[in-house]
Amino acid sequence: MGKVEVRRPSETEISEMEQNPIWECEPSEFSWQYDMTETCYLLEGKVKVITDEEEVEFGAGDMVTFTKGLSCTWQVKEKVRKHYTFGD
């Protein structure tokens, strides 16, 4: 069982994330399961992620980590652009 962690990144973390690919998504709703941990930095947009245990909202300027094993539903409220990277 995974979880969602949201925080404000440091300038160094932002610089590091800018080296990663960008993913975009129009407003929509979809289910997702993480088989690896993902860390992303939102450049724009607003999202609500719903898990069995919580609802988490985040948006532009947030650094978000989705831990391995997380199953959730994404509700993209405003178009998302984010840098992302996967790890263990």
Side-chain angles (χ1 to χ4, degrees):
M1 185 176 334
K3 66 180 195 170
V4 182
E5 300 170 353
V6 180
R7 63 186 175 79
R8 287 294 178 172
S10 68
E11 291 299 319
T12 301
E13 289 173 315
I14 292 170
S15 294
E16 290 171 356
M17 286 302 291
E18 289 173 346
Q19 308 306 311
N20 294 307
I22 289 180
W23 179 80
E24 296 183 331
C25 182
E26 296 294 328
S28 57
E29 182 171 326
F30 57 92
S31 296
W32 195 255
Q33 183 166 348
Y34 291 87
D35 56 2
M36 298 178 73
T37 295
E38 177 186 350
T39 301
C40 62
Y41 173 64
L42 270 76
L43 300 169
E44 63 183 76
K46 286 188 180 179
V47 178
K48 180 192 282 188
V49 169
I50 302 167
T51 72
D52 288 340
E53 299 174 357
E54 62 183 345
E55 294 185 6
V56 180
E57 295 189 44
F58 50 89
D62 287 332
M63 179 85 78
V64 187
T65 301
F66 305 93
T67 60
K68 181 178 178 176
L70 177 72
S71 292
C72 62
T73 299
W74 272 63
Q75 293 180 342
V76 179
K77 305 294 189 183
E78 295 177 11
K79 180 184 174 180
V80 167
R81 288 186 74 237
K82 67 175 185 170
H83 287 287
Y84 67 95
T85 185
F86 288 98
D88 296 339

